[in-house]
Amino acid sequence: MLEKIQETAAFLSERMHTNPETAIILGTGLGSLVHEITEKYEINYKDIPNFPVSTVEGHSGKLIFGKLGNKDIMAMQGRFHFYEGYSMKEVTFPVRVMRELGIKTLFVSNASGGTNPTFDVGDLMIITDHINFFPEHPLRGKNIEYGPRFPDMSHAYSKELIQKAMEIAKEKNIKVQHGVYLGTQGPTFETPSEYKMFHTLGADAVGMSTVPEVIVANHCGIKVFGISVITDLGVIGKIVEVSHEEVQKAADAAQPKMTEIMRELINRA
């Protein structure tokens, strides 16, 4: 696997004329950030050796390089999900490639269902920790020597970046929640009983991504900041039937606030 990672990194290095240390996974709620990247150049996933291709409606598939403010960045427009049929090694392959390319900080976003009764649809939740509910672990198998066999996860999300994000939100008068994100395989949305169980376990929000990438980023020594947009509620008495389209609509409405926080945070990080 290491050979494939290095082959992909070498392919990209030959085509890169910037030196980013910051990467962004443009998940749900962050799509509009792409319009703020300047001096950009793009490489389609289908043209990158060993890269999977996103199959989800609404998810593009390309790496974007350029500047966000004064920072060189690389951005994934379209992530890979376990529910699409990929293995965890495929889901997290781009993060390992990022490590080979010299990325030091990773910013991730997602859509999630809120299990905390104080949350509302459209809220932004800064992720302070996560619960891994995926049936396959992304570090299973032979250890790649990017990190230890048994990596510490006590600070999976950078406390420094969380603090900066809270300060930015206060400056901009943007309401933010903070809490624990639980990652599950999907692709079904949760039943009322599952939402109740996840909240009992300590989750404030539930989604189908992020956790694998964050685990691998930590193994690679990459700092992480994560944020969720609450697109539906898994709270007893507030649960309604939900569709992918409705999730996308709620995320789109929250995009300006999330984009503002992320833009500022990336430039101050």
Side-chain angles (χ1 to χ4, degrees):
M1 184 180 175
L2 184 57
E3 285 181 6
K4 286 187 174 181
I5 295 165
Q6 291 172 338
E7 178 191 359
T8 303
F11 172 89
L12 292 171
S13 292
E14 289 172 5
R15 288 153 180 81
M16 291 167 60
H17 49 78
T18 49
N19 295 294
E21 293 188 353
T22 300
I24 312 162
I25 297 177
L26 295 169
T28 308
L30 263 191
S32 64
L33 194 65
V34 73
H35 303 303
E36 303 196 22
I37 300 172
T38 59
E39 301 175 38
K40 66 182 171 186
Y41 55 102
E42 304 173 349
I43 305 173
N44 289 324
Y45 291 168
K46 63 182 176 60
D47 298 326
I48 303 173
N50 308 314
F51 240 65
V53 177
S54 184
T55 66
V56 182
E57 185 183 345
H59 289 263
S60 303
K62 56 190 172 185
L63 285 182
I64 302 168
F65 299 88
K67 286 190 177 294
L68 190 65
N70 57 9
K71 278 274 176 76
D72 281 350
I73 60 103
M74 72 176 288
M76 282 182 67
Q77 191 173 32
R79 60 150 49 101
F80 309 112
H81 302 82
F82 190 66
Y83 63 72
E84 294 177 79
Y86 297 118
S87 70
M88 278 299 184
K89 284 185 170 56
E90 290 172 313
V91 168
T92 58
F93 184 82
V95 178
R96 292 187 169 102
V97 172
M98 288 173 188
R99 191 265 187 194
E100 283 286 330
L101 293 174
I103 294 300
K104 302 288 193 293
T105 310
L106 176 64
F107 295 85
V108 295
S109 71
N110 60 55
S112 62
T115 61
N116 188 317
T118 67
F119 287 3
D120 294 311
V121 170
D123 278 355
L124 300 181
M125 184 191 85
I126 293 171
I127 304 173
T128 56
D129 202 356
H130 72 227
I131 298 170
N132 182 13
F133 228 76
F134 284 90
E136 181 185 328
H137 199 283
L139 299 182
R140 180 175 176 266
K142 184 180 178 182
N143 185 46
I144 297 175
E145 297 296 327
Y146 290 158
R149 169 76 280 189
F150 304 105
D152 176 69
M153 292 293 290
S154 60
H155 298 97
Y157 299 82
S158 166
K159 292 188 181 303
E160 175 195 357
L161 293 175
I162 289 169
Q163 184 59 40
K164 284 182 180 178
M166 297 291 282
E167 289 167 5
I168 290 164
K170 188 175 180 181
E171 286 172 24
K172 305 284 185 184
N173 199 28
I174 296 172
K175 174 191 173 188
V176 289
Q177 308 280 10
H178 59 273
V180 176
Y181 175 89
L182 185 145
T184 186
Q185 65 177 316
T188 50
F189 292 109
E190 288 67 37
T191 67
S193 295
E194 287 168 343
Y195 274 129
K196 185 178 179 181
M197 175 185 70
F198 291 150
H199 184 55
T200 301
L201 288 174
D204 296 291
V206 182
M208 305 172 194
S209 67
T210 303
V211 169
E213 296 104 314
V214 170
I215 289 172
V216 168
N218 274 267
H219 181 249
C220 289
I222 297 172
K223 280 197 305 184
V224 176
F225 175 80
I227 190 166
S228 299
V229 53
I230 306 302
T231 52
D232 61 284
L233 292 174
V235 177
I236 301 302
K238 295 182 180 180
I239 297 173
V240 296
E241 189 174 332
V242 66
S243 68
H244 179 65
E245 291 72 25
E246 287 168 324
V247 166
Q248 198 73 48
K249 187 177 177 183
D252 289 345
Q255 273 200 102
K257 294 182 292 182
M258 187 184 280
T259 299
E260 193 164 5
I261 290 173
M262 280 288 210
R263 185 204 309 117
E264 283 294 318
L265 182 59
I266 287 165
N267 274 285
R268 297 185 196 183

